[in-house]
Amino acid sequence: MRKFIAAITAVSALSLAGCSGSEVQEPVEQIVVAEPGKAASATSGETGPEQIAEPEQPAE
Amino acid sequence: MSEQETAKPTAKTERSAAAKWSRRGFIGAGVLAGGALLIGVGVRPGNPVGKLKAKVAGGAGEELVNSWVKVGADNVVTAIIPHCEMGQGAHSVLAQMLADELDADWSKVEVMQAPADGSYIVSDAARMFVAPFTMNAADWIEPTWDGLFTQIGRLADVMITGGSSSIRTTGQYQMRIAGAAARKMLIGAAADEWGVPTSEITTRNSTLIHSGSGKSAPYSDFAAAAANQPMDSSPALKDPKDYRLMGKSKRRTDIPAKVMGKADFGIDANIPGVELSDLSYAAVRRAPVPGTKVTSMDAEAAKDMPGVQQILNMGSFIAVVADGYWNAQQALNTITAEYSASESPIKTTADQFAAFRDAIDAAGDDGGEQAASKGDAASAFADAATKLEAEYSAPFLAHAPMEPVNCTAWVRDTDDGAKCDIWTSTQVPLMARSAAAGALGMDDEDVTVHHPFLGGAFGRRLENDYVTMAVRVAKATGYPIKMIWSREEDTQKALYRPADVSRFKGGLDAGGRLVAYNNIFTQRHDPAEASVPGIYDIANTSVRVAEAPLHLPFSAWRSVDHSQQGFFIESFIDEAANAAGADPLEYRLSMLGANTARHKGVLEKVAEISNWSTPRGEGIGLGVAIIESFGTVGAEVIEVDMTSGRPKMLNVWAAMDAGYVMNPDGFRNQIEGGIVFGLTAAMYGEIELEDGAVKQSNFHDYQMLRMDETPAIEVAIINSGTVPIGGAGEPSTSPAAPALANAIFAASGKRLREMPFAKQFA
């Protein structure tokens, strides 16, 4: 059981590791020098996953 | 490279494997009521397939048969793969496993990266990460484990690519079942339409065939109807004699796009609606010492640098946003800053190793946390005919993936509230989503993660430090930014394979047998068994861990604890063999304990292919090491030439038993890569500390093994039919360093107890 609890703790730590410093933090200092190029227009999730591999050629 | 493969799994072995899968399938069905699905989906409207179709099968004519299989109008079958592709070939081999059970036409199989969605968490993968010792639990407790780990997987976002786990968890317990289930659903739909029994329909090359009536049809004709068929969560799986794709060296599906420059990696992210020339880039600089902050910055010069848009002090780091990465980095280079003082007493590499040794000294011969214990190691040592004492050390290591650390982020307000999209190379897309949401104060559902190919990772991309940094900058600017770390930033401000010291006392009896083994070290992370010399029959064993401060943050590095422990243990066993006056390979064979048939097999095989017993010339030596890790047993022999006074590696032979290899070429690729990775660390890998910060900065002082230094590598694959099967990505890394150290000893008499080796011959 001790091993199990340690394992659970480890995964929790792994999960939370990504959140380290994850409290919402505003910049201490922000200097705006210039505006960027034109604004974007897509909305969240519109892109979706893409087909990322070509079909294999039937060479075998 | 020669291809040496031994016996295929026996029918008996495979039947036992199928029985296990069937049992697990049954359990998967059994926990449906609890909301946990083994192969993920029901197919009724409103079930996950319905929700997933818009995400993964929104193209014209595409039908989602189950969560993992879609069929296009052109009869192209797409395998939806929940693991990321970082060069290890997981996409291809998992597609092979699914396509084989589906009887799909391999020439018309494509691969899709599964989206970062909880529906694509694989229960068994989560289970292997959380509690691998439950993978072979008793039948009566299986429903509890499966249900528990499905929930844990979702709660902890365990959509992970790592741990050499893709084939042995997702492949075996998900993709094969999903493919077989989809095939059965297609047959069911055709049987209904043709008015014939399902038993009379056969499949071949993505085609349904009814010989009696002469009817045949491509899968695409019945894909939509198949989605409405009941899904069998424990379909019969193929016997190895019927494999058409599994066990074959099929070509990697990701290679053509990479060769043609068409493949997208995280760093290639393009944001829809934003011209590449209009995208803003962020260069970042963290405080140099872990745990410290930026207290002030002087950015006057940076304001006037070309292309600069914003300069931000984010507390723990500085960011410059500009119209291109080069301009951002150049401006960042002009910024001077003050940092808070570190509370760590460790300032130098010597401080860190002194802290390890102090902890070990304090623990003495019996202190610290007991990791393994058998017999009475202290008494056996006192009574030993021959006594050995040795101390080994390993340095901090960086991951140094080829693709720089990067993340593109866009945080904005919409009519539906605040939303965030991130594009990044990550091994943990759902954890990246949670990390981003946490940093922004958003709900997970308001964050969308796009995760294309990874240009290497080796554990670095299990972390989300860079994700939180990117989303914070994007939120502050209000427009999308592509953050790219310089090589220096990742070498100096990342997370690391920990350094360690390991101290041994060993005793041999009058016959030379190792009978006392007392070992203590300070770093224990994962896997738990890495520090235990469990394959050897040593009557009295004590393995302990002393608690010591670690200055740099920990991160899993290819093979994790095996990377240090393999060097420590297999070097010490070699010293025992030498003290016994025995041949190192024969000594290992003689010391093997119970249930080590596979270990005996790989040692004998590697002896055969390396011509171990054939004497080499003066100054040339062979070294051997054997390690079981990630379910695979691997033995390596290295031949080294010391006639110049410096080690020149001539050959590496590796015999690997992973139970059953699904793609021999891909497996061999991983074994070779793991060996080169391990040899790089053995020869050169070292992250040092100065004033509390990392000294090394780029590849000129964090050196990789060059092509002209890399030995010829021969890999022998042993398919012993072991169930469960083992991993491929990591098991060959850890034997490389001890095999090399042992070879150098054999050739020169010089015993290396510290890594890295090259500087000891300068």
Side-chain angles (χ1 to χ4, degrees):
Chain A
M1 183 52 70
R2 189 177 65 83
K3 194 175 180 184
F4 174 70
I5 292 170
I8 295 289
T9 304
V11 159
S12 300
L14 180 61
S15 180
L16 294 174
C19 304
S20 57
S22 65
E23 69 276 16
V24 179
Q25 293 176 318
E26 301 300 327
V28 175
E29 184 179 1
Q30 183 169 13
I31 303 167
V32 178
V33 179
E35 290 301 314
K38 67 182 181 183
S41 58
T43 56
S44 178
E46 277 189 356
T47 54
E50 296 173 1
Q51 300 282 117
I52 54 177
E54 298 286 320
E56 186 182 5
Q57 298 304 310
E60 297 169 81
Chain B
M1 304 297 168
S2 68
E3 182 159 325
Q4 301 191 41
E5 292 164 41
T6 55
K8 301 292 183 188
T10 63
K12 181 180 178 183
T13 303
E14 193 61 15
R15 276 198 298 276
S16 68
K20 178 177 175 60
W21 288 318
S22 296
R23 173 171 61 82
R24 300 186 64 78
F26 168 77
I27 293 157
V31 295
L32 275 168
L37 301 165
L38 183 64
I39 58 175
V41 294
V43 290
R44 290 172 285 111
N47 270 354
V49 162
K51 295 176 186 174
L52 289 172
K53 190 173 188 309
K55 289 188 175 182
V56 300
E62 290 185 337
E63 296 294 342
L64 191 61
V65 179
N66 61 36
S67 294
W68 314 90
V69 181
K70 70 175 179 178
V71 181
D74 53 2
N75 210 28
V76 168
V77 169
T78 299
I80 302 170
I81 308 294
H83 290 287
C84 71
E85 178 57 65
M86 48 189 176
Q88 84 281 35
H91 277 191
S92 299
V93 71
L94 294 178
Q96 260 180 264
M97 297 171 82
L98 182 145
D100 203 341
E101 296 290 354
L102 181 58
D103 264 351
D105 178 351
W106 183 243
S107 70
K108 291 185 176 180
V109 172
E110 293 188 357
V111 173
M112 169 186 266
Q113 173 70 64
D117 186 299
S119 300
Y120 286 101
I121 288 175
V122 177
S123 169
D124 280 284
R127 183 168 167 178
M128 200 211 69
F129 275 100
V130 174
F133 52 89
T134 70
M135 293 297 283
N136 288 309
D139 282 5
W140 64 269
I141 202 172
E142 276 290 344
T144 303
W145 284 133
D146 258 348
L148 175 63
F149 286 105
T150 299
Q151 297 305 325
I152 289 173
R154 295 198 175 202
L155 284 171
D157 293 326
V158 189
M159 188 177 184
I160 294 178
T161 303
S164 303
S165 66
S166 300
I167 294 172
R168 59 194 176 116
T169 59
T170 301
Q172 289 286 69
Y173 299 128
Q174 188 72 76
M175 307 313 292
R176 292 187 65 186
I177 293 170
R183 175 179 172 272
K184 199 167 179 180
M185 294 159 83
L186 288 159
I187 288 174
D192 288 350
E193 174 69 20
W194 293 341
V196 301
T198 56
S199 60
E200 294 181 5
I201 296 178
T202 59
T203 53
R204 184 77 174 175
N205 286 336
S206 300
T207 302
L208 294 147
I209 302 161
H210 184 248
S211 299
S213 63
K215 291 180 178 175
S216 68
Y219 283 174
S220 53
D221 283 6
F222 288 99
N228 292 313
Q229 288 283 318
M231 186 167 67
D232 186 352
S233 57
S234 57
L237 298 175
K238 284 186 174 180
D239 186 276
K241 67 178 173 50
D242 298 320
Y243 290 173
R244 291 187 305 112
L245 301 172
M246 289 185 280
K248 307 292 193 300
S249 292
K250 293 295 177 185
R251 293 180 186 174
R252 290 258 296 271
T253 57
D254 57 316
I255 293 296
K258 289 177 176 175
V259 171
M260 299 301 289
K262 294 179 179 176
D264 278 339
F265 296 82
I267 203 168
D268 298 318
N270 291 316
I271 299 179
V274 178
E275 292 293 330
L276 200 56
S277 58
D278 291 333
L279 185 60
S280 296
Y281 290 77
V284 294
R285 184 202 303 164
R286 285 175 138 179
V289 180
T292 63
K293 302 273 188 186
V294 180
T295 54
S296 66
M297 69 174 182
D298 179 351
E300 283 305 307
K303 291 178 188 174
D304 297 327
M305 296 286 283
V308 172
Q309 295 164 353
Q310 291 204 22
I311 302 165
L312 303 104
N313 174 359
M314 302 298 294
S316 56
F317 67 98
I318 296 167
V320 172
V321 180
D323 59 357
Y325 169 71
W326 179 256
N327 282 342
Q329 187 64 51
Q330 293 305 302
L332 180 64
N333 291 346
T334 69
I335 295 175
T336 58
E338 299 290 331
Y339 305 101
S340 61
S342 169
E343 296 179 357
S344 171
I346 295 171
K347 307 297 182 191
T348 66
T349 304
D351 291 344
Q352 179 65 84
F353 281 102
F356 292 149
R357 292 189 174 99
D358 287 348
I360 290 171
D361 289 343
D365 283 340
D366 56 4
E369 183 183 352
Q370 200 78 46
S373 180
K374 184 171 72 171
D376 185 343
S379 296
F381 179 77
D383 297 338
T386 304
K387 293 181 172 64
L388 294 174
E389 296 192 43
E391 182 184 287
Y392 304 89
S393 66
F396 288 107
L397 294 176
H399 301 79
M402 185 64 77
E403 180 192 6
V405 167
N406 68 89
C407 180
T408 299
W410 185 19
V411 184
R412 64 211 178 277
D413 291 323
T414 73
D415 292 342
D416 295 327
K419 302 288 183 185
C420 173
D421 280 61
I422 59 177
W423 292 258
T424 192
S425 300
T426 176
Q427 296 172 254
V428 285
L430 285 175
M431 293 181 190
R433 185 178 72 168
S434 297
L440 297 168
M442 286 182 173
D443 293 333
D444 287 357
E445 292 69 28
D446 292 323
V447 177
T448 301
V449 177
H450 311 266
H451 55 297
F453 288 141
L454 286 63
F458 317 116
R460 175 66 182 95
R461 290 183 161 104
L462 290 167
E463 310 295 336
N464 288 304
D465 50 333
Y466 54 94
V467 172
T468 57
M469 290 169 68
V471 299
R472 288 180 61 204
V473 173
K475 183 184 181 187
T477 61
Y479 48 80
I481 57 99
K482 178 180 287 191
M483 180 197 69
I484 301 174
W485 286 29
S486 66
R487 178 61 59 187
E488 288 78 6
E489 195 68 17
D490 191 35
T491 303
Q492 298 183 318
K493 319 279 182 63
L495 304 96
Y496 300 87
R497 195 291 298 272
D500 202 4
V501 167
S502 184
R503 197 174 288 169
F504 290 80
K505 287 185 176 180
L508 280 60
D509 65 16
R513 188 170 187 81
L514 188 61
V515 294
Y517 181 102
N518 195 342
N519 173 223
I520 185 166
F521 53 93
T522 80
Q523 297 299 310
R524 183 170 61 162
H525 298 277
D526 185 69
E529 69 275 14
S531 61
V532 181
I535 66 172
Y536 296 117
D537 177 20
I538 305 171
N540 303 283
T541 303
S542 175
V543 178
R544 294 167 292 124
V545 189
E547 186 174 349
L550 189 68
H551 183 68
L552 296 178
F554 163 84
S555 177
W557 184 95
R558 194 174 190 172
S559 80
V560 207
D561 284 3
H562 285 290
S563 69
Q564 306 109 318
Q565 296 293 346
F567 170 61
F568 302 154
I569 296 171
E570 281 297 290
S571 293
F572 188 67
I573 294 294
D574 216 67
E575 296 209 44
N578 182 61
D583 175 274
L585 197 146
E586 293 295 332
Y587 190 76
R588 285 171 171 78
L589 283 168
S590 72
M591 287 296 301
L592 289 177
N595 302 315
T596 53
R598 298 168 74 197
H599 307 75
K600 181 172 183 286
V602 297
L603 282 170
E604 290 177 343
K605 188 68 180 177
V606 83
E608 174 195 329
I609 62 175
S610 66
N611 293 313
W612 174 267
S613 58
T614 301
R616 266 56 176 185
E618 184 70 24
I620 296 175
L622 297 178
V624 64
I626 175 172
I627 294 171
E628 177 179 355
S629 60
F630 308 96
T632 294
V633 181
E636 294 173 19
V637 167
I638 296 184
E639 182 179 42
V640 67
D641 180 351
M642 292 296 296
T643 54
S644 71
R646 292 175 54 82
K648 177 177 174 54
M649 293 176 282
L650 302 177
N651 289 287
V652 179
W653 296 271
M656 310 299 294
D657 181 351
Y660 186 80
V661 168
M662 291 293 170
N663 183 320
D665 184 59
F667 183 86
R668 188 171 291 107
N669 170 287
Q670 285 297 287
I671 298 306
E672 292 170 0
I675 288 170
V676 173
F677 203 81
L679 292 177
T680 289
M683 289 294 288
Y684 300 114
E686 184 174 33
I687 290 292
E688 298 174 286
L689 300 172
E690 279 184 348
D691 297 327
V694 169
K695 176 183 174 183
Q696 283 72 21
S697 61
N698 207 320
F699 288 122
H700 70 287
D701 56 6
Y702 192 71
Q703 193 173 334
M704 303 288 113
L705 201 66
R706 287 352 192 230
M707 288 292 284
D708 66 347
E709 302 170 290
T710 303
I713 302 173
E714 181 176 337
V715 180
I717 296 171
I718 298 176
N719 282 331
S720 65
T722 309
V723 176
I725 62 175
E730 295 168 278
S732 70
T733 298
S734 52
L740 176 57
N742 298 339
I744 290 170
F745 175 77
S748 68
K750 182 180 176 69
R751 172 61 65 183
L752 302 180
R753 296 194 178 101
E754 297 177 12
M755 294 171 72
F757 303 151
K759 69 179 188 179
Q760 299 176 54
F761 297 93

